[in-house]
Amino acid sequence: MTLPSPPRSATTVVDVPAPTVTTPQPDVASNGHQAPRRVAPRPRLARQPGSLVLAGTLIALLAMAYLAPRLIGLDRLVTVDEGYWLGRSANFYEALASGDLAQTYQFAHPGVPTMWAGAIAYRVVFPEYATAYPQQINYVLDVHRVIRDLGHDPLDMLVAGRVAKLLMQTAFLALGFWLARPLFGTLTTVVGTLLLAFDPFLIAHDRLLHVDSLFAVTAFVSLLALLRALGSATPARFLVISGIFAALAWLTRTPGVILAVITFVSLLVHAWHSRGGEAMLPQAIRATRGVVRPFAVWIGVAGATTFVSWPALWVSPVTVARRMLSWSLAAAADGHEYASFFYGTVPDGDPSPFYYPVTLLWRLTPFTLAGLLIVGLGLGLRARVIVPRALIAPVLLLAGYAVLYIVGMSFGAKKFDRYVLPVYPALDFIAAVGIVGAGRLLFVWRDRGRRVLAGAVVGVVVLGQLVSALTMAPYYLPYFNPLLGGVSGAEDALLLGWGEGMDQVAGYIMSQPDGARATVRASNQRNTLLYFLPPTVTVPPAQFHTGMAGIIEWAETDYFVAYVTQGQRGLSRSTAHFAAYPPVHTVSFDDTAFARTYDVSAIPPPAWLTDNPCAFTFGDNVRLAGYQDESIGILGVNNRELSLYFTSGPEVSARYLVRIDLLPRDPRLEPLSNTVALDPSPEAGLLTEVDVTFRLPRKRTLNSYTVLVTVLDPATGEPIPATKVSDGIDRPRALLPRCR
């Protein structure tokens, strides 16, 4: 690869575009003041067929480069939030089909383009959904159950929504290339697009049915169109494009309204400079007047696009605005409902005012950071070979947008690294200016070897960006800057994990005997696991409750999955307990464990489950930690099964006899008794279940009786004293209280 020399004339076909504004020497008016400078229109060059073919070829190749890492392995990850957007998309589609347009408001983000992508997926893959389920899903995370009940695979629906969104973003990116090429030149635009296409953080989020990446792409296209408008003699069409994409940006995430501020300020600065030479006050007045018309076009188009794209605004605009404003203010002030994690601390609220700059250092690749550093040096040293004069304005506008957005987001208490994803395309393009500029600096030397080296530098950077992303394929989310320590270093600095590796957990469980009928609990959101398992696998929505209810849940659970996120936050007592035992399966990235799977039957339950008010100890032998009963009746027979859950003590024996006596509360009933063998685990603390069946009179339950449990000493046959955990008083036998 070789790089062209800096431009020698305005008509030379080179990488660096000709300046968009020319400033002739000012004339002197009769009153002695300089006449205002006028913007000279850029000379129009005839379009050559070869140029159109080149542009089309480049767009096609870049689209393939963009899609390849995003489409491969698209069914390997389900993140915590995507169940929400799949459910909201289902509701959006149903609202459109039923004509209940007010229901196209689903959330305050508001995520409208994302829901359009999801609705398109339903229309293509499951067009009859709206008639098969003609109502809104109240709890949108239950969408997987609804889709399965209707005979479809929720993972297939999620992948379809992702593909629809990716195709939408690819079309937007192609438009962005067309807009950027005259601004940055062909080579810089190609390099910038490839840095963007291979950015691991962008790839990770582009692959999801979510809002952040769509916001990033639409905001970037809006900025590129604005830059074209500022340098065009006929800016109206570019203002229209910019306004349309600004609307799509803030329809995806409300912080996109910052584009209105950036557009107004940019138009004002441009108008000010175009009228240089006037006295300060007249210049300010004329500049302000010059902004009114173009900004009116921009805001008018943006407003119309907002209204047309969101049917909820057609029927209840005031309600929509009030709900969005209320949620946004609360989120900014209160932060996330769960604690965050930042450099070893677990803040409840705002993690730090420096959170976003720090996340950029961790999430950007060394190649992007190097390009940004080169641009900074080029601007500071006024090295026009690195940053040509024609590129200063585009670079400053993109940099200003990034800084303003990061500063604005830093005021909010609710912070996640993905919330500043919209600045990544801009930073990648700025970095491309630096990388190409560094190559140009080598290229201007007449030595052939240096010129070859110049091309090699650009090629190595692009390849390095791709390799950086592929190190974490097909998930991409676990990528962190290796210069700062990679994943293992980030574990002590930032919150990790959004569901990566849970597909491997599901694969392990399904490979086990009876795995297809297992009960699995997880410390993180269960949707990250549910989509990879058949409906015969039970994944309860919560971790273990406290008290006796938790003991019953423990006994019924086959596997527990401890995820890295809850471990960092310190939110899961279960995760902390299991950490002391070896997992049966671990999913790691760069030797950092993200998901640990434990065989619950091989691990003692924690004290906060066994030390419950309903528990009894029988010497140092066994502890009755919980019990439950259920009907196992056959038609006409009232059989009740009482399940007793014992944990082994330090002096446990091989076998005990357990006698259960049912003393009737109603004198008309007869007492009942049964004796069963208890073979506890020889390992202290492990849980053993004993089941005993009673045949009761019709319409009677165990609540009709007082239940007494006696454990007999295997050596003497005498009852072992029962000590209630809650009061420490010894009794000859355990009287089971009515508790859970």
Side-chain angles (χ1 to χ4, degrees):
M1 180 186 295
T2 58
L3 292 124
S5 303
R8 297 178 181 274
S9 67
T11 58
T12 304
V13 180
V14 294
D15 175 58
V16 181
T20 58
V21 179
T22 59
T23 309
Q25 293 294 326
D27 297 325
V28 179
S30 58
N31 59 5
H33 293 289
Q34 291 181 345
R37 291 180 291 178
R38 302 296 180 186
V39 179
R42 179 190 294 187
R44 286 182 172 269
L45 301 179
R47 290 186 178 179
Q48 300 297 324
S51 177
L52 295 177
V53 172
L54 174 62
T57 303
L58 288 175
I59 288 175
L61 292 174
L62 291 171
M64 287 189 289
Y66 179 79
L67 285 172
R70 289 162 172 81
L71 288 176
I72 297 174
L74 204 55
D75 59 349
R76 292 289 304 278
L77 169 69
V78 176
T79 61
V80 172
D81 285 2
E82 284 184 287
Y84 291 106
W85 289 108
L86 187 63
R88 289 164 185 160
S89 296
N91 286 346
F92 190 87
Y93 179 59
E94 191 277 332
L96 292 174
S98 66
D100 187 5
L101 301 184
Q103 294 296 337
T104 59
Y105 175 95
Q106 287 290 310
F107 196 61
H109 275 340
V112 175
T114 300
M115 291 189 292
W116 273 112
I120 291 171
Y122 278 96
R123 184 69 181 88
V124 173
V125 176
F126 192 3
E128 66 275 15
Y129 169 81
T131 54
Y133 195 81
Q135 58 185 303
Q136 295 280 292
I137 304 173
N138 292 325
Y139 183 58
V140 290
L141 278 181
D142 278 345
V143 64
H144 65 89
R145 177 188 53 78
V146 173
I147 293 174
R148 275 184 170 144
D149 289 347
L150 296 175
H152 285 256
D153 186 346
L155 184 58
D156 289 344
M157 277 305 314
L158 180 61
V159 170
R162 290 168 168 177
V163 171
K165 173 176 161 289
L166 271 173
L167 293 177
M168 185 185 297
Q169 291 184 190
T170 304
F172 295 165
L173 187 66
L175 177 60
F177 179 86
W178 174 76
L179 291 168
R181 191 178 172 207
L183 292 167
F184 294 92
T186 298
L187 181 57
T188 301
T189 303
V190 168
V191 173
T193 305
L194 288 174
L195 289 180
L196 183 157
F198 299 151
D199 188 309
F201 201 46
L202 284 171
I203 295 174
H205 288 277
D206 285 344
R207 292 161 51 88
L208 308 178
L209 185 65
H210 208 267
V211 294
D212 299 293
S213 64
L214 195 52
F215 176 18
V217 172
T218 51
F220 184 56
V221 173
S222 177
L223 291 172
L224 292 176
L226 174 62
L227 282 167
R228 288 293 301 275
L230 296 177
S232 174
T234 55
R237 57 176 175 160
F238 297 115
L239 289 172
V240 168
I241 295 172
S242 180
I244 290 172
F245 278 88
L248 294 177
W250 64 55
L251 279 171
T252 307
R253 264 199 181 277
T254 50
V257 295
I258 196 174
L259 291 168
V261 177
I262 290 171
T263 298
F264 182 82
V265 172
S266 299
L267 290 171
L268 184 63
V269 171
H270 181 263
W272 178 280
H273 281 288
S274 67
R275 296 183 176 277
E278 294 184 354
M280 181 67 70
L281 183 59
Q283 183 179 359
I285 294 174
R286 291 179 182 275
T288 304
R289 288 176 179 173
V291 169
V292 172
R293 183 175 179 182
F295 187 70
V297 171
W298 187 92
I299 200 69
V301 169
T305 303
T306 301
F307 183 79
V308 170
S309 302
W310 197 1
L313 294 177
W314 307 351
V315 293
S316 54
V318 176
T319 301
V320 167
R322 184 177 64 251
R323 292 172 69 181
M324 288 177 61
L325 181 62
S326 174
W327 184 91
S328 299
L329 292 176
D334 299 337
H336 198 266
E337 56 267 32
Y338 298 119
S340 184
F341 179 84
F342 190 64
Y343 278 92
T345 64
V346 185
D348 186 12
D350 190 346
S352 169
F354 305 107
Y355 177 83
Y356 288 125
V358 170
T359 64
L360 288 175
L361 294 176
W362 278 101
R363 287 298 195 175
L364 289 171
T365 68
F367 305 99
T368 298
L369 290 171
L372 294 172
L373 179 61
I374 292 170
V375 169
L377 292 174
L379 290 173
L381 299 175
R382 297 187 178 183
R384 296 295 173 252
V385 174
I386 296 177
V387 185
R389 187 177 299 277
L391 296 184
I392 293 177
V395 166
L396 290 180
L397 189 143
L398 293 179
Y401 156 73
V403 170
L404 186 61
Y405 186 82
I406 291 171
V407 170
M409 293 299 292
S410 295
F411 282 105
K414 187 176 181 180
K415 290 183 171 73
F416 286 107
D417 52 6
R418 67 181 184 271
Y419 285 2
V420 292
L421 193 73
V423 307
Y424 280 71
L427 296 179
D428 283 328
F429 253 74
I430 295 172
V433 173
I435 298 302
V436 174
R440 190 184 301 111
L441 186 63
L442 294 171
F443 187 84
V444 296
W445 291 78
R446 297 184 180 275
D447 181 78
R448 181 177 178 83
R450 289 178 181 264
R451 293 193 169 192
V452 173
L453 179 62
V457 166
V458 177
V460 166
V461 166
V462 172
L463 182 62
Q465 186 88 334
L466 174 60
V467 171
S468 297
L470 294 179
T471 58
M472 289 300 164
Y475 305 105
Y476 299 99
L477 278 170
Y479 175 84
F480 292 92
N481 190 342
L483 298 182
L484 298 182
V487 183
S488 58
E491 186 178 13
D492 298 322
L494 300 175
L495 195 65
L496 303 183
W498 211 22
E500 306 96 295
M502 295 298 276
D503 61 315
Q504 298 181 48
V505 172
Y508 169 78
I509 291 170
M510 292 300 295
S511 71
Q512 301 305 300
D514 294 328
R517 291 180 292 276
T519 297
V520 186
R521 293 180 183 271
S523 66
N524 62 330
Q525 225 290 335
R526 65 174 182 156
N527 280 355
T528 61
L529 186 61
L530 267 174
Y531 283 61
F532 301 109
L533 295 169
T536 54
V537 176
T538 301
V539 186
Q543 298 184 49
F544 301 104
H545 293 88
T546 57
M548 195 176 77
I551 282 291
I552 297 170
E553 292 166 351
W554 188 281
E556 295 173 345
T557 301
D558 298 295
Y559 299 100
F560 180 82
V561 183
Y563 203 65
V564 62
T565 311
Q566 285 68 39
Q568 289 179 297
R569 283 171 163 167
L571 295 178
S572 172
R573 288 193 296 178
S574 301
T575 297
H577 174 72
F578 280 101
Y581 300 91
V584 294
H585 181 260
T586 303
V587 179
S588 298
F589 299 98
D590 277 356
D591 298 324
T592 299
F594 270 54
R596 296 181 176 94
T597 303
Y598 297 89
D599 180 356
V600 176
S601 65
I603 295 175
W608 48 270
L609 292 182
T610 59
D611 292 347
N612 65 76
C614 302
F616 288 84
T617 59
F618 295 86
D620 290 330
N621 301 274
V622 291
R623 170 176 294 197
L624 177 59
Y627 47 88
Q628 68 172 337
D629 76 286
E630 58 183 346
S631 173
I632 55 171
I634 308 172
L635 185 64
V637 179
N638 183 20
N639 284 341
R640 303 290 299 189
E641 183 177 77
L642 176 64
S643 297
L644 304 174
Y645 303 102
F646 291 91
T647 58
S648 301
E651 297 182 9
V652 66
S653 298
R655 168 167 285 202
Y656 298 87
L657 290 179
V658 179
R659 188 176 71 239
I660 299 95
D661 296 298
L662 303 186
L663 305 182
R665 301 178 190 276
D666 186 337
R668 293 172 298 177
L669 299 177
E670 294 291 330
L672 299 172
S673 181
N674 206 337
T675 301
V676 294
L678 167 63
D679 296 308
S681 170
E683 184 177 340
L686 289 185
L687 201 65
T688 303
E689 179 178 346
V690 172
D691 299 320
V692 57
T693 302
F694 290 93
R695 184 172 180 176
L696 304 183
R698 290 185 60 190
K699 298 183 180 180
R700 295 291 183 173
T701 68
L702 288 182
N703 288 333
S704 302
Y705 299 84
T706 297
V707 181
L708 301 175
V709 176
T710 306
V711 176
L712 303 178
D713 190 311
T716 64
E718 296 297 321
I720 301 174
T723 304
K724 192 172 184 181
V725 171
S726 61
D727 58 21
I729 299 175
D730 291 343
R731 298 166 174 83
R733 51 190 175 177
L735 189 155
L736 302 190
R738 298 181 186 180
C739 60
R740 291 288 292 172

